Amino acid sequence: MSASGIDLACINTIRTLSMDAVQKANSGHPGAPMGLAPAAFVLFTQVMKHNPKDPLWPDRDRFVLSNGHASMLLYSVLHLCGYDLGLDDLKNFRQWGSKTPGHPEYGHTPGVETTTGPLGQGFANAVGMAMAERFLASRYNRPGHPVVDHNTYAMVGDGCLMEGITSEAASLAGHLGLSRLIVLYDDNKISIEGSTEITFTEDVAARFEAYKWQVLKVGDGTDTQAIRKAIESAQEEKDKPSLICIRTNIAHGSPGKQGSADAHGAPLGEDEVKKTKAALGCKDDECFFIPSEVSREFEKVAKKGQEAQKQWEARLAGYKAAHPEIAADYDRLLDGLLPADWDSLVPDFADEKGSIATRAASGKVLNALAQKIPFLMGGSADLAPSNNTLIKGEGDFAPLQYGNRNIRFGVREHAMGAIISGMALHKGIIPYAGTFLVFADYMRPAIRVASLMQAKVIYVFTHDSIAVGEDGPTHQPVEHLASLRIIPGLKVLRPADATETAEAWKLAIKSAGPVAMLFSRQNLPVIDRTKAAPARNVEKGGYVLADCQGTPQVILMGSGAEVHLALAAQKILAEKGIKARVVSMPSWELFDAQNKAYRDSVLLPGVKARVSVEAGSTMGWEKYIGENGVAIGINRFGASAPGSVVLEKMGFTPAKVVEAAKATLDKSA
């Protein structure tokens, strides 16, 4: 049954606000908001637990608009519900400095839980949020005290479901039985190019049933009773996530555009807006009009949300009284506070005998941190033994075992990246994810959006160079380090040894935003810190690791394993009477953030002879080595052979560093 009376007036107001904002901006996507307005109305006014006056209430239901181009749907509903989003904000849709950007942006607009736009990523974010809820509920709830008790809702379109990331994330969600995840599918059968008949004729319901989801169908997207009944059925399901397929009409109510791809990504046009308002029975001579009875109806949402939060706060008080110790941990978690002694077990590797791969050192540090940080959790894309990402003594995050901290993501890199972003945005968890560096390409879109949001996530990338060896060029990263460095807001750390690895992990844990750490497959000597600078200098991004007497004639710099080549070359140069300084540069981003005086103290502007050595693309090193410097790197693909052989054949030897040092000295003379 289609909505009527005040419900219909509310739904049509969502539609008209969306139409008006897109028309005023002369840009945007009106079609999806018009078709999805009934579902959004039911969700935000009748179903979801949320408080517009406190958008960060910990036990709120989460909502993700995965088809982020429908942003005006969300902005209209948030405004009407009483979030801090004024009518002027709607009028400034897509304008410079507005709180209503073209696609939803986390941290920019109250009530927006995640940045969406690249289709499918929001779906995977929602999976991560649902996983976070299950983990925290399992860890912290006690009988009679359900302080973590909420659902995650998402809206998706046909485009979201076409994307591979959605298949990856849906498969994992079904495997995990995430029953608190409820996805509403805008089944309007339209994409930008036209009818989905030209590209997307699969049986979506059957696919999701095969993924072990409950699938429900609503044949009429205007039937609010049917939508609510389907959502309630999804809430009652205890073993599976739910997909609700809602048959909608894009640009519902528009006489000339309903059901047309023309309404997807362009304004309806002023005449069509007026005709549509008239067809909907709305006031057609005023833009951004909100009937007073609609305002009064939406005011109930805030009141209901405030009451729900008060009830939760009362439960929380009872929880604290009954379980003070675990409640104190829960409080710290909500505040994002680390335990006072969180890094007390981290080894410095001073007593490490022989050599150790930084990936192996990373595993030891991770496990030391996990003993003190109970909300540090994560896993790998089916590479945990190689990435060293397993937390020892912990089981796997799985149905009926949601309190365990090892996540088996499977071979799903893209979804893994977006899922840990969702976990971080949920709050209460520091998530990490591991794979080989070469496969960072498979999750790059998720890394980019995490950086845009400044989500607190940690990426563990191992097998960080051509030293991977026998697996050959398909598995040997060359351009990947450079490509990560150019992502704004991402900290990239490539430690030179086990001790720098420990410091890198500490920095990642303390960081407010995303951090990518790159670790070696091959064993590396642990640098003798009695003869070198303290590893804590890693926090400055670049530092003088080993110096000479007096002013150096040449500066050798690098990151990761190749720092050891620089150290070896320094000794050879000293034997030849050439004074060299070795600079370890684990993080360009951190080094560039230091003041000029510090940077100059490390790189000495007066010393023009400089050599960089790094087993990857040389792109970017020119800003440190200058016009007279020599960059030793690799600007071609690798080859299949033992790692030591590949390195030698491609010029990564102390002798080559010495040769480069002499060359730059000649150029600088």
Side-chain angles (χ1 to χ4, degrees):
M1 180 183 295
S2 298
S4 60
I6 187 61
D7 286 3
L8 181 58
C10 292
I11 291 167
N12 283 337
T13 300
I14 296 171
R15 290 173 171 143
T16 59
L17 288 175
S18 299
M19 284 189 290
D20 286 341
V22 172
Q23 190 62 45
K24 185 175 185 297
N26 196 30
S27 171
H29 302 73
M34 296 166 70
L36 281 169
F41 171 74
V42 171
L43 261 185
F44 277 82
T45 66
Q46 300 176 13
V47 175
M48 276 176 48
K49 180 175 63 173
H50 64 115
N51 181 5
K53 303 306 178 185
D54 185 1
L56 300 180
W57 167 31
D59 201 41
R60 69 192 181 279
D61 288 337
R62 270 58 170 183
F63 174 77
V64 174
L65 184 68
S66 186
N67 48 337
H69 57 268
S71 57
M72 265 315 304
L73 172 73
L74 181 55
Y75 300 149
S76 297
V77 174
L78 292 175
H79 168 71
L80 291 167
C81 287
Y83 284 82
D84 185 17
L85 196 67
L87 196 59
D88 284 343
D89 294 314
L90 302 192
K91 294 177 180 178
N92 287 321
F93 178 54
R94 288 185 164 226
Q95 304 309 302
W96 180 267
S98 76
K99 292 164 70 174
T100 50
H103 291 79
E105 296 179 23
Y106 172 77
H108 189 77
T109 309
V112 170
E113 300 281 6
T114 182
T115 296
T116 56
L119 294 176
Q121 283 208 50
F123 183 104
N125 291 161
V127 172
M129 292 175 186
M131 290 171 65
E133 189 276 341
R134 288 291 77 197
F135 172 78
L136 295 172
S138 181
R139 283 263 170 161
Y140 291 99
N141 285 352
R142 293 295 182 268
H145 299 281
V147 292
V148 182
D149 185 21
H150 52 267
N151 295 316
T152 300
Y153 298 93
M155 281 185 174
V156 304
D158 288 300
C160 292
L161 297 188
M162 292 183 207
E163 289 284 1
I165 186 175
T166 304
S167 297
E168 293 179 16
S171 174
L172 182 60
H175 167 74
L176 293 173
L178 298 176
S179 61
R180 295 298 185 98
L181 175 61
I182 300 171
V183 177
L184 283 63
Y185 164 35
D186 179 22
D187 184 14
N188 63 25
K189 301 193 182 302
I190 293 291
S191 64
I192 292 177
E193 294 185 359
S195 168
T196 54
E197 290 297 316
I198 63 176
T199 59
F200 192 54
T201 55
E202 68 184 41
D203 187 334
V204 171
R207 171 157 69 107
F208 272 75
E209 286 172 348
Y211 287 147
K212 300 182 180 179
W213 284 56
Q214 173 184 230
V215 177
L216 303 163
K217 295 182 179 181
V218 176
D220 178 2
T222 67
D223 188 339
T224 53
Q225 291 185 24
I227 292 170
R228 178 164 182 170
K229 182 178 179 181
I231 295 172
E232 289 173 346
S233 295
Q235 291 172 329
E236 292 169 1
E237 170 61 51
K238 302 304 179 187
D239 299 315
K240 300 177 181 179
S242 295
L243 179 74
I244 304 174
C245 304
I246 305 176
R247 186 71 175 94
T248 65
N249 283 313
I250 194 170
H252 178 93
S254 171
K257 298 291 182 72
Q258 179 173 309
S260 168
D262 292 341
H264 171 85
L268 299 182
E270 290 184 4
D271 289 343
E272 188 65 22
V273 167
K274 288 184 178 180
K275 291 177 182 178
T276 302
K277 289 179 179 179
L280 293 172
C282 300
K283 188 178 178 68
D284 63 0
D285 60 351
E286 183 178 344
C287 291
F288 298 98
F289 176 70
I290 303 174
S292 57
E293 64 272 19
V294 168
S295 294
R296 288 193 295 271
E297 187 66 19
F298 272 101
E299 285 172 359
K300 298 176 183 177
V301 175
K303 292 178 181 177
K304 184 170 69 173
Q306 288 172 298
E307 180 57 34
Q309 184 168 349
K310 285 181 181 178
Q311 293 176 6
W312 175 80
E313 288 169 349
R315 292 199 304 273
L316 183 62
Y319 174 69
K320 290 180 178 180
H323 304 282
E325 186 173 339
I326 191 71
D329 286 342
Y330 181 62
D331 272 348
R332 284 193 292 270
L333 172 150
L334 291 180
D335 291 335
L337 301 177
L338 292 167
D341 60 346
W342 65 273
D343 60 350
S344 61
L345 299 180
V346 174
D348 63 9
F349 296 98
D351 298 326
E352 185 74 30
K353 304 300 182 184
S355 300
I356 179 173
T358 52
R359 61 169 174 150
S362 169
K364 292 185 177 183
V365 176
L366 167 62
N367 274 274
L369 291 166
Q371 290 183 59
K372 292 293 185 177
I373 307 174
F375 45 90
L376 176 63
M377 68 182 298
S380 172
D382 198 45
L383 288 170
S386 293
N387 298 149
N388 290 274
T389 50
L390 285 175
I391 299 175
K392 297 175 182 177
E394 284 275 345
D396 294 339
F397 181 89
L400 304 180
Q401 300 176 59
Y402 293 126
N404 293 332
R405 292 191 283 166
N406 286 313
I407 304 174
R408 306 287 187 167
F409 286 104
V411 188
R412 303 182 179 101
E413 291 91 352
H414 195 179
M416 175 176 71
I419 285 170
I420 65 168
S421 287
M423 297 175 74
L425 296 174
H426 179 281
K427 303 298 184 186
I429 292 170
I430 299 177
Y432 64 86
T435 188
F436 291 171
L437 176 58
V438 76
F439 300 133
D441 281 350
Y442 278 15
M443 57 194 293
R444 186 177 181 84
I447 299 172
R448 182 180 189 274
V449 176
S451 300
L452 175 60
M453 296 188 288
Q454 281 299 284
K456 187 179 175 62
V457 295
I458 298 172
Y459 307 110
V460 177
F461 295 128
T462 69
H463 297 60
D464 69 351
S465 76
I466 56 171
V468 166
E470 291 88 345
D471 279 337
T474 61
H475 283 53
Q476 293 169 358
V478 172
E479 74 280 17
H480 299 76
L481 175 51
S483 73
L484 290 174
R485 283 173 173 156
I486 63 175
I487 297 177
L490 176 67
K491 291 188 182 74
V492 182
L493 291 137
R494 186 171 184 247
D497 72 341
T499 310
E500 281 197 0
T501 296
E503 294 303 311
W505 262 106
K506 292 177 187 178
L507 284 165
I509 293 294
K510 292 187 293 184
S511 176
V515 175
M517 295 185 293
L518 282 55
F519 300 121
S520 72
R521 179 198 184 205
Q522 73 273 33
N523 288 340
L524 300 173
V526 178
I527 296 167
D528 182 356
R529 293 290 164 174
T530 63
K531 300 178 181 179
R536 65 174 178 272
N537 288 330
V538 168
E539 67 184 12
K540 296 183 181 297
Y543 66 102
V544 180
L545 175 64
D547 214 351
C548 56
Q549 292 293 325
T551 302
Q553 297 167 266
V554 61
I555 297 175
L556 312 177
M557 64 189 82
S559 75
E562 291 74 59
V563 170
H564 297 273
L565 298 180
L567 289 170
Q570 182 193 41
K571 293 180 180 179
I572 298 172
L573 289 167
E575 292 170 358
K576 297 178 181 293
I578 299 172
K579 295 186 290 185
R581 166 180 286 188
V582 175
V583 173
S584 179
M585 294 276 283
S587 174
W588 289 8
E589 297 79 24
L590 291 174
F591 183 70
D592 291 347
Q594 306 306 312
N595 61 44
K596 185 177 184 299
Y598 175 77
R599 287 182 278 118
D600 286 350
S601 73
V602 173
L603 295 183
L604 300 177
V607 180
K608 304 300 182 182
R610 302 179 182 191
V611 176
S612 66
V613 54
E614 188 172 69
S617 168
T618 58
M619 187 180 74
W621 277 107
E622 61 273 7
K623 67 178 176 178
Y624 301 118
I625 63 174
E627 61 182 15
N628 292 323
V630 176
I632 300 174
I634 172 169
N635 295 307
R636 51 154 285 187
F637 293 119
S640 177
S644 58
V645 174
V646 178
L647 287 168
E648 181 182 3
K649 294 294 185 182
M650 301 197 74
F652 291 94
T653 64
K656 288 292 184 181
V657 179
V658 170
E659 181 182 317
K662 291 180 178 179
T664 187
L665 280 166
D666 290 341
K667 290 170 65 177
S668 303

